[in-house]
Amino acid sequence: MADATQFVFGSFRIDTADRRLWHGQQAVKLSPLAFTLLSHLVKHPGRLVTKDELLRALSRSESPDEILYGLIREVRKALGDDRHEPQFIENVPSEGYRFIAAVITQGSGAETTPAPSPQSPTPSAISDTWQVPTGFVGRAAELQQLHKLLDKALTGERQIAFLAGEPGVGKTTLARAFLQEVVTGSLGAVGRGQCIEHYGAGEAYLPMLEAISRLCRSPGGAFLPHWLRQHAPTWLIQLPSFLEPADYEALQRQLQGTTRDRMLRELLEAVELLTPTYPLVLLLEDLHWSDYSTLDLLSAFARRSEPARLLVIGTYRPGEMLSNDHPLCGVMRELLTHRLCTEFALALLSETATRDYLTLRFPRHTFPEQLVHSLYLRTEGNPLFFTNILEDWVARGILAEDEYGWKVQKDVSTIMGETPESLRHLVARQREQLLPEEKRILEAASVAGMEFSTVAVAAALRADVGEVEEWCAGLVNRQMFLRAAGVSAWPDGTVVERYSFRHALYQQLWHERVGMARRQRLHLRIGEQLERAYLDHTSEIATELALHFGEARDHLRAMQYHQQAGENAIRRFAHQEVVTHLTKSLEFLNSLPETPERTRQELGLRTALGVTMQAVRGYGNPVVAQAYARARELSRQVKEPAQLFRVLFGLFQFHLTQAENTVAYELTEQLLGLAQSARDPGLLVEAHGTMGITLFYLGELTAARTHLEQGKALYDREQHRNHAVAYGQDPWVACQGFWAQLVWLLGYPDQARKGIYEAWTTAQELAHPFSEAFALTDVALVHQLCRETRLCRERAEATVALACQHGFPFWESGGTILRGWALAEQGQSEEGIELMQRGLAAKRTMGAELTRRYYTALLVDQFGKSGRLPEAFLLLEETLATIPRTGERWWEAEIYRLKGELLLAQEVKSQKSKGKSQKSEIPNPQSQTLNPKSQEEAETCFLKAIEIAQRQSAKSLELRAVMSLSRLRQRQGKKAEARKVLSKIYHWFSEGFDTPDLQEAKALLTALS
């Protein structure tokens, strides 16, 4: 990279030889020092560049904070980068900076991105092929609108368009006619993919992968696999047919730990790099059958602000989306609300369009006007109906052509009476014209799918492939049910002809004709043929194979392929698909005979399902308990220590989250015993972590610290990195996160802040989103403990964004509460309290009882500060009442301190209502004279808080309680006593003097002097 002279990232290009930064065709102004700093970062992408290193690159010796902060701010402003949600430069607190965007190098000896040249393929050459629609009428306005969107896209303003309409209305015809004009005019590269109806979860990113695959196989697309290798390797690995086995294995090793977030980012940035040279038009058909991941990608395409010459057209049927719960509904609603997409609702054709179609389809015809009008009334302008009725009439000789043109051979009123009442009847009539062999082929094809290969149909019928191809070609030539769909190559080297039904209704109606027993046989033969053809690559089509073997009632193979599809979804972080595939796999497994192997397989599936459910439903959700409860029964039969350990670990997390700390502690003892018996360092890492976390919540802080530090010491990053997937989160990140909270309690704020950022950095490096959300929540929490409002809000907002992106409701709720606390502290009390209540309600829904005392105490404090004392007392008493039941005591001292403060505030407010105070706000208790009873009750609470904190060695909470007591003593005129007790605890601290607690303690000591 050192030899390169140009570096491309996002929509920017930096020329180190010319010392200029470009944004598209516009030069961006940067000072010489800022340019040097950016150049150095760009030359070392993905690596932490320390402040000292940057200063050396700048030939400066000043303090980093004096020179670097201003330069970083200048560079971020030039790039339009947000330091809170960076796309280019990430701040590593106290260490330095990291350039996080993908960088393309150009220059001496460097690989370059393909640039337009006479030898480069034109955009139209990098395009899929399809049958050009004939008789295209009645859509001139929609076609013009699509061209307007394309014009905008060609200027770099990305466009998303949805074509909506019921079956047969002409969505595909319109889209493909437009694409043909794009290709003919060399306006852009064209790719298309189709969503397929599944009886379970769809294959993640299926239509997008199909579109990319088609583009790679296009006449001018030979460079694309190599281009993907450089810019989007996580997508190329999903298309192994474009890689040699050795390259595939090497790329697999390289991409170990790939995240869903990385896949999205790579493709988004790859499109932005490709489209300046090759404008891209994508057609994604039948989005009503889309998988969740494709919809997330579509939303991400729309939301990116970077320029891209991109137009994405999606088609869907509104009738398939009757429920607002349909995932496409939510995506479209959000995009339409923010004006990030355009929707076309295709209406039925007019009578004029019907007449135009007749003119195109039957040149020089002499049809009476009555036929046009009657045909329109009969079909109501549905293109599928009237085109098929006309083809039916041609086949039956009702419409015939002679040397003078097309004529009607019967009375119009007679033939209108003979017109089929529905498409079902029409298909039945057309079916009568077919030979028996053609019927058998169409029936088998309907089982193979909407689009199918002749090899699959031949396998289903045990027929010769060449004969099947001839029959299919004949049907296409007669425009009977099928259209050609090109060719494709299978991993075994077989090149297959592909066909598709002209409409999904055709496939459905032919499928209905196949009896259950025969359908099973056909599915089985197709599945077995695909297995043979894909050899060691069956994982690529695991969802399709699961469908075929499921319909064939081959439950063993259906179970295996659903499991494989689930593993594929795990690698793509498509959690919803994981749950669906694992659930289907269990359904098929349960139908198999009971054997030791079946028990072992079910145990593995139940455990994996439990881990996934924890992520998508929350640790305390009942479905998690159900999965692990069944797994525990099975583990007694399997009797494998490692499997039993994973099950007990999952149950521990459930009971801990439910705040059933006694049960959780018993499970941690079992886990530690298993790990010690097995002498397995990996199990010991997890066991010490669980014991440390449990003791933390029980308030046994010193013992908790010992176990957490043992867990961290036993952790080996290379040996134990797979624990993040097996157990749901990385054990070192979990131990470090709780250790940071714990050392704050013990009185070491600086160590806490440093430690929690180490946890977050490690989680990011592991590229495991759930662990990252875990750590990021703890970062926000530690800042809350330190009362660093701004940083708490920033990290809480980042937590919510990450949790929403990946579907982690447990972490979203925690981030929401902490964000609400920060807003309330910053003066937005009403909005903050509403967010905190919303987050607590979400936790209650998920069964997340753990930490409710901590989060509720934050809400109680804000109720008190906003003068809502009755609500504060009610919530506080409810919280105190739960402590004996749950045993969660780590925050108990602070809860008693809050109670004392509320008692004093209540007395002050009572005096104000009696006219003893003239202040408009909630009075400061320090300025009031309170009755002895209120003082005594508050003092009891403060002393109780101090006693608990001292017993737990929780110096930070002891400091807060002592400050509350000292203020009370100050009002009582006992300044010397107040100063003595406060001075003792204040001077115990050796760090954290920049935190509000210690600053306030120092100020109070001064006042007491």
Side-chain angles (χ1 to χ4, degrees), residues 541-594:
I541 56 167
T543 300
E544 184 178 353
L545 289 170
L547 169 64
H548 284 303
F549 287 120
E551 290 294 300
R553 301 189 68 79
D554 186 333
H555 292 176
L556 176 59
R557 283 192 281 196
M559 180 274 296
Q560 292 170 340
Y561 284 116
H562 270 298
Q563 186 175 2
Q564 178 65 67
E567 292 171 3
N568 291 344
I570 288 173
R571 286 194 293 272
R572 299 172 190 175
F573 295 94
H575 299 290
Q576 296 289 348
E577 287 89 343
V578 174
V579 172
T580 303
H581 282 301
L582 293 182
T583 302
K584 291 292 291 184
S585 190
L586 282 167
E587 290 175 7
F588 285 116
L589 184 67
N590 288 335
S591 65
L592 299 175
E594 291 191 18

Coordinates of all heavy atoms in Angstrom, one line a residue, residues 541-594:
I541 N -27.7 -24.4 -1.4 CA -29.2 -24.5 -1.7 C -29.9 -25.3 -0.6 O -30.8 -26.0 -0.9 CB -29.4 -25.2 -3.1 CG1 -28.7 -26.6 -3.1 CG2 -28.9 -24.3 -4.2 CD1 -29.1 -27.4 -4.3
A542 N -29.4 -25.1 0.6 CA -29.9 -25.9 1.7 C -31.4 -25.6 1.9 O -32.2 -26.6 2.2 CB -29.2 -25.5 3.0
T543 N -31.8 -24.4 1.8 CA -33.3 -24.1 1.9 C -34.1 -24.8 0.9 O -35.2 -25.4 1.2 CB -33.5 -22.6 1.9 OG1 -32.8 -21.9 2.9 CG2 -35.0 -22.2 2.0
E544 N -33.6 -24.8 -0.4 CA -34.4 -25.5 -1.4 C -34.4 -27.0 -1.2 O -35.5 -27.6 -1.4 CB -33.7 -25.2 -2.8 CG -34.4 -25.7 -4.0 CD -33.8 -25.4 -5.3 OE1 -32.8 -24.6 -5.3 OE2 -34.2 -25.9 -6.3
L545 N -33.3 -27.5 -0.8 CA -33.3 -29.0 -0.5 C -34.2 -29.3 0.7 O -34.9 -30.4 0.7 CB -31.9 -29.4 -0.2 CG -30.9 -29.5 -1.5 CD1 -29.5 -29.7 -1.1 CD2 -31.4 -30.6 -2.4
A546 N -34.2 -28.5 1.7 CA -35.0 -28.7 2.9 C -36.5 -28.7 2.4 O -37.3 -29.6 2.9 CB -34.8 -27.6 3.9
L547 N -36.9 -27.8 1.5 CA -38.3 -27.8 1.0 C -38.6 -29.1 0.3 O -39.6 -29.7 0.5 CB -38.4 -26.6 0.1 CG -39.7 -26.6 -0.7 CD1 -40.9 -26.4 0.2 CD2 -39.7 -25.4 -1.7
H548 N -37.7 -29.5 -0.6 CA -38.0 -30.7 -1.4 C -38.1 -32.0 -0.6 O -39.0 -32.8 -0.7 CB -36.9 -30.9 -2.5 CG -37.1 -30.0 -3.7 ND1 -38.2 -29.9 -4.4 CD2 -36.2 -29.1 -4.2 CE1 -38.1 -29.0 -5.4 NE2 -36.9 -28.5 -5.3
F549 N -37.1 -32.1 0.3 CA -37.2 -33.3 1.2 C -38.3 -33.3 2.2 O -38.8 -34.3 2.6 CB -35.8 -33.6 1.8 CG -34.8 -34.0 0.8 CD1 -33.6 -33.3 0.6 CD2 -34.9 -35.2 0.1 CE1 -32.6 -33.7 -0.3 CE2 -34.0 -35.7 -0.8 CZ -32.8 -34.9 -1.0
G550 N -38.6 -32.1 2.6 CA -39.8 -32.0 3.5 C -41.1 -32.4 2.9 O -41.9 -33.1 3.4
E551 N -41.3 -31.9 1.6 CA -42.5 -32.3 0.9 C -42.5 -33.8 0.5 O -43.5 -34.4 0.4 CB -42.6 -31.4 -0.4 CG -42.9 -30.0 -0.1 CD -44.3 -29.8 0.5 OE1 -45.3 -30.2 -0.2 OE2 -44.4 -29.3 1.6
A552 N -41.2 -34.3 0.4 CA -41.1 -35.7 0.0 C -41.3 -36.6 1.3 O -41.3 -37.8 1.2 CB -39.8 -36.0 -0.6
R553 N -41.4 -36.0 2.4 CA -41.5 -36.7 3.7 C -40.3 -37.5 4.1 O -40.4 -38.5 4.8 CB -42.8 -37.5 3.8 CG -44.1 -36.7 3.5 CD -45.3 -37.6 3.8 NE -45.5 -37.9 5.2 CZ -45.9 -37.1 6.2 NH1 -46.3 -35.9 5.8 NH2 -46.0 -37.5 7.4
D554 N -39.2 -37.0 3.5 CA -37.9 -37.6 3.9 C -37.4 -36.7 5.1 O -36.6 -35.8 4.9 CB -36.9 -37.5 2.7 CG -35.6 -38.2 3.0 OD1 -35.2 -38.3 4.2 OD2 -34.9 -38.7 2.1
H555 N -37.9 -37.1 6.3 CA -37.7 -36.2 7.4 C -36.3 -36.1 7.8 O -35.9 -35.0 8.3 CB -38.6 -36.7 8.5 CG -40.1 -36.5 8.3 ND1 -41.0 -37.0 9.1 CD2 -40.7 -35.9 7.2 CE1 -42.2 -36.7 8.6 NE2 -42.1 -36.1 7.5
L556 N -35.5 -37.1 7.7 CA -34.1 -37.0 8.1 C -33.3 -36.0 7.3 O -32.7 -35.1 7.8 CB -33.4 -38.4 7.9 CG -31.9 -38.4 8.3 CD1 -31.7 -38.0 9.7 CD2 -31.4 -39.8 8.0
R557 N -33.5 -36.1 6.0 CA -32.7 -35.1 5.1 C -33.3 -33.7 5.2 O -32.6 -32.7 5.2 CB -32.7 -35.6 3.7 CG -31.6 -36.7 3.5 CD -31.3 -37.0 2.1 NE -32.4 -37.8 1.4 CZ -32.2 -38.5 0.3 NH1 -31.1 -38.4 -0.4 NH2 -33.2 -39.2 -0.2
A558 N -34.7 -33.6 5.4 CA -35.3 -32.3 5.6 C -34.7 -31.6 6.8 O -34.4 -30.4 6.9 CB -36.8 -32.4 5.7
M559 N -34.6 -32.5 7.9 CA -34.1 -31.9 9.2 C -32.6 -31.5 9.0 O -32.3 -30.4 9.4 CB -34.1 -33.0 10.2 CG -33.6 -32.6 11.6 SD -31.8 -32.9 11.8 CE -31.7 -34.7 11.6
Q560 N -31.8 -32.3 8.3 CA -30.4 -31.9 8.1 C -30.3 -30.6 7.3 O -29.4 -29.8 7.6 CB -29.7 -33.1 7.4 CG -29.6 -34.3 8.3 CD -29.1 -35.5 7.5 OE1 -29.2 -35.6 6.3 NE2 -28.6 -36.5 8.2
Y561 N -31.1 -30.5 6.2 CA -30.9 -29.3 5.4 C -31.5 -28.0 6.1 O -31.0 -26.9 5.9 CB -31.5 -29.5 4.0 CG -30.6 -30.4 3.2 CD1 -31.0 -31.6 2.7 CD2 -29.3 -30.0 2.9 CE1 -30.1 -32.5 2.0 CE2 -28.4 -30.7 2.1 CZ -28.9 -32.0 1.7 OH -28.0 -32.8 0.9
H562 N -32.5 -28.2 6.9 CA -33.0 -27.0 7.6 C -31.9 -26.6 8.6 O -31.7 -25.4 8.9 CB -34.3 -27.4 8.4 CG -35.5 -27.1 7.6 ND1 -35.9 -25.8 7.1 CD2 -36.5 -27.9 7.1 CE1 -37.0 -25.9 6.4 NE2 -37.4 -27.1 6.4
Q563 N -31.3 -27.6 9.2 CA -30.2 -27.3 10.1 C -29.1 -26.6 9.4 O -28.5 -25.6 9.9 CB -29.7 -28.6 10.8 CG -28.6 -28.3 11.9 CD -28.3 -29.6 12.6 OE1 -28.7 -30.7 12.3 NE2 -27.4 -29.5 13.6
Q564 N -28.7 -27.0 8.2 CA -27.7 -26.4 7.4 C -28.1 -25.0 7.0 O -27.3 -24.0 7.1 CB -27.4 -27.2 6.2 CG -26.3 -26.6 5.2 CD -25.0 -26.5 5.9 OE1 -24.4 -27.5 6.1 NE2 -24.5 -25.3 6.1
A565 N -29.4 -24.8 6.7 CA -29.9 -23.5 6.3 C -29.8 -22.6 7.5 O -29.5 -21.4 7.4 CB -31.3 -23.5 5.8
G566 N -30.1 -23.1 8.7 CA -29.9 -22.3 9.9 C -28.5 -21.9 10.2 O -28.2 -20.8 10.6
E567 N -27.5 -22.8 9.9 CA -26.1 -22.5 10.1 C -25.7 -21.4 9.1 O -25.0 -20.5 9.4 CB -25.3 -23.7 9.9 CG -25.5 -24.7 11.1 CD -24.8 -26.0 10.8 OE1 -24.1 -26.1 9.7 OE2 -24.9 -27.0 11.6
N568 N -26.3 -21.5 7.9 CA -26.0 -20.4 6.9 C -26.5 -19.1 7.4 O -25.9 -18.0 7.3 CB -26.7 -20.7 5.6 CG -26.0 -21.9 4.9 OD1 -24.9 -22.3 5.2 ND2 -26.8 -22.5 3.9
A569 N -27.7 -19.1 8.0 CA -28.3 -17.9 8.5 C -27.5 -17.3 9.7 O -27.4 -16.1 9.9 CB -29.8 -18.1 8.9
I570 N -27.0 -18.2 10.5 CA -26.1 -17.7 11.6 C -24.9 -17.0 11.1 O -24.6 -15.9 11.6 CB -25.7 -18.9 12.5 CG1 -26.9 -19.5 13.3 CG2 -24.6 -18.5 13.4 CD1 -26.5 -20.8 14.0
R571 N -24.3 -17.5 10.0 CA -23.1 -16.8 9.5 C -23.5 -15.5 8.9 O -22.6 -14.6 8.8 CB -22.5 -17.7 8.4 CG -21.7 -18.9 8.9 CD -20.8 -19.5 7.9 NE -21.6 -20.1 6.8 CZ -22.0 -21.4 6.8 NH1 -21.8 -22.1 7.9 NH2 -22.7 -21.9 5.8
R572 N -24.8 -15.3 8.5 CA -25.2 -14.0 7.9 C -25.9 -13.2 9.0 O -26.4 -12.1 8.7 CB -26.1 -14.3 6.7 CG -25.5 -15.0 5.6 CD -26.5 -15.4 4.5 NE -25.8 -16.4 3.6 CZ -26.5 -16.9 2.6 NH1 -27.8 -16.7 2.4 NH2 -25.9 -17.8 1.8
F573 N -25.9 -13.6 10.2 CA -26.6 -12.9 11.3 C -28.0 -12.6 11.0 O -28.6 -11.6 11.4 CB -25.8 -11.6 11.7 CG -24.4 -11.9 12.2 CD1 -23.3 -11.9 11.4 CD2 -24.2 -12.2 13.5 CE1 -22.1 -12.2 11.8 CE2 -22.9 -12.5 14.0 CZ -21.9 -12.5 13.2
A574 N -28.7 -13.6 10.3 CA -30.1 -13.5 10.0 C -30.9 -14.2 11.1 O -31.3 -15.4 10.9 CB -30.4 -14.0 8.6
H575 N -31.1 -13.6 12.2 CA -31.6 -14.3 13.4 C -33.0 -14.9 13.2 O -33.3 -16.0 13.7 CB -31.5 -13.4 14.6 CG -30.1 -13.0 15.0 ND1 -29.2 -13.8 15.5 CD2 -29.6 -11.7 14.8 CE1 -28.1 -13.1 15.7 NE2 -28.3 -11.9 15.3
Q576 N -33.9 -14.2 12.6 CA -35.2 -14.7 12.4 C -35.2 -15.9 11.5 O -35.9 -16.9 11.8 CB -36.1 -13.6 11.7 CG -36.3 -12.3 12.5 CD -37.2 -12.5 13.7 OE1 -37.8 -13.6 13.8 NE2 -37.2 -11.6 14.6
E577 N -34.4 -16.0 10.5 CA -34.3 -17.2 9.7 C -33.7 -18.3 10.5 O -34.1 -19.5 10.3 CB -33.4 -16.9 8.4 CG -34.1 -16.0 7.4 CD -33.9 -14.6 7.6 OE1 -33.5 -14.2 8.7 OE2 -34.1 -13.8 6.7
V578 N -32.7 -18.0 11.4 CA -32.2 -19.1 12.2 C -33.2 -19.8 13.0 O -33.3 -21.0 13.1 CB -31.1 -18.5 13.2 CG1 -30.6 -19.6 14.1 CG2 -29.9 -18.0 12.4
V579 N -34.1 -19.0 13.7 CA -35.1 -19.5 14.5 C -36.1 -20.4 13.7 O -36.4 -21.5 14.1 CB -35.9 -18.4 15.2 CG1 -37.1 -18.9 15.9 CG2 -35.0 -17.7 16.2
T580 N -36.5 -19.9 12.5 CA -37.4 -20.6 11.7 C -36.8 -21.9 11.2 O -37.5 -23.0 11.3 CB -37.8 -19.8 10.5 OG1 -38.4 -18.6 11.0 CG2 -38.9 -20.5 9.7
H581 N -35.6 -21.9 10.8 CA -35.0 -23.2 10.3 C -34.7 -24.2 11.4 O -35.0 -25.4 11.2 CB -33.7 -22.8 9.5 CG -33.9 -22.3 8.2 ND1 -34.5 -23.0 7.2 CD2 -33.5 -21.1 7.6 CE1 -34.6 -22.2 6.1 NE2 -33.9 -21.1 6.3
L582 N -34.3 -23.7 12.5 CA -34.0 -24.7 13.6 C -35.4 -25.2 14.1 O -35.4 -26.4 14.5 CB -33.3 -24.0 14.8 CG -31.9 -23.5 14.5 CD1 -31.2 -22.9 15.7 CD2 -31.0 -24.7 14.0
T583 N -36.4 -24.4 14.2 CA -37.7 -24.9 14.6 C -38.2 -26.0 13.6 O -38.7 -27.0 14.0 CB -38.7 -23.8 14.7 OG1 -38.2 -22.8 15.6 CG2 -40.1 -24.2 15.2
K584 N -38.1 -25.7 12.3 CA -38.5 -26.7 11.3 C -37.7 -28.0 11.4 O -38.2 -29.1 11.3 CB -38.4 -26.1 9.9 CG -39.4 -25.0 9.6 CD -40.8 -25.5 9.5 CE -41.0 -26.4 8.3 NZ -42.5 -26.8 8.2
S585 N -36.4 -27.8 11.7 CA -35.5 -29.0 11.8 C -36.0 -29.8 13.0 O -36.0 -31.1 12.9 CB -34.1 -28.5 12.0 OG -33.2 -29.6 11.9
L586 N -36.4 -29.2 14.1 CA -36.9 -30.0 15.2 C -38.2 -30.7 14.9 O -38.4 -31.8 15.4 CB -37.0 -29.0 16.4 CG -35.8 -28.6 17.2 CD1 -36.0 -27.5 18.1 CD2 -35.2 -29.8 17.9
E587 N -39.0 -30.0 14.2 CA -40.3 -30.7 13.8 C -40.1 -32.0 13.0 O -40.7 -33.0 13.3 CB -41.2 -29.7 13.0 CG -41.7 -28.5 13.7 CD -42.4 -27.5 12.9 OE1 -42.6 -27.9 11.7 OE2 -42.8 -26.5 13.3
F588 N -39.2 -31.9 12.1 CA -38.9 -33.1 11.3 C -38.1 -34.1 12.1 O -38.4 -35.3 12.0 CB -38.0 -32.7 10.1 CG -38.8 -32.1 9.0 CD1 -38.5 -30.8 8.6 CD2 -39.8 -32.7 8.3 CE1 -39.2 -30.1 7.6 CE2 -40.6 -32.1 7.3 CZ -40.3 -30.8 6.9
L589 N -37.3 -33.7 13.0 CA -36.5 -34.6 13.9 C -37.5 -35.4 14.8 O -37.3 -36.6 15.0 CB -35.5 -33.8 14.7 CG -34.6 -34.7 15.6 CD1 -33.6 -35.5 14.7 CD2 -33.8 -33.8 16.5
N590 N -38.5 -34.7 15.3 CA -39.4 -35.4 16.2 C -40.2 -36.5 15.5 O -40.8 -37.3 16.2 CB -40.4 -34.3 16.8 CG -39.7 -33.4 17.8 OD1 -38.7 -33.8 18.4 ND2 -40.2 -32.2 18.0
S591 N -40.3 -36.5 14.2 CA -41.0 -37.5 13.5 C -40.2 -38.8 13.3 O -40.7 -39.8 12.8 CB -41.6 -37.0 12.2 OG -40.5 -36.7 11.3
L592 N -38.9 -38.7 13.6 CA -38.0 -39.8 13.4 C -38.0 -40.8 14.6 O -38.4 -40.4 15.7 CB -36.6 -39.3 13.2 CG -36.3 -38.4 11.9 CD1 -34.9 -37.9 11.9 CD2 -36.7 -39.1 10.6
P593 N -37.7 -42.0 14.4 CA -37.6 -43.0 15.5 C -36.7 -42.5 16.6 O -35.6 -41.9 16.3 CB -37.2 -44.3 14.8 CG -37.4 -44.1 13.4 CD -37.3 -42.6 13.1
E594 N -37.0 -42.9 17.8 CA -36.1 -42.5 18.9 C -34.9 -43.4 18.9 O -35.0 -44.6 19.1 CB -36.9 -42.6 20.2 CG -38.0 -41.6 20.4 CD -38.5 -41.6 21.9 OE1 -37.9 -42.2 22.7 OE2 -39.7 -41.1 22.0

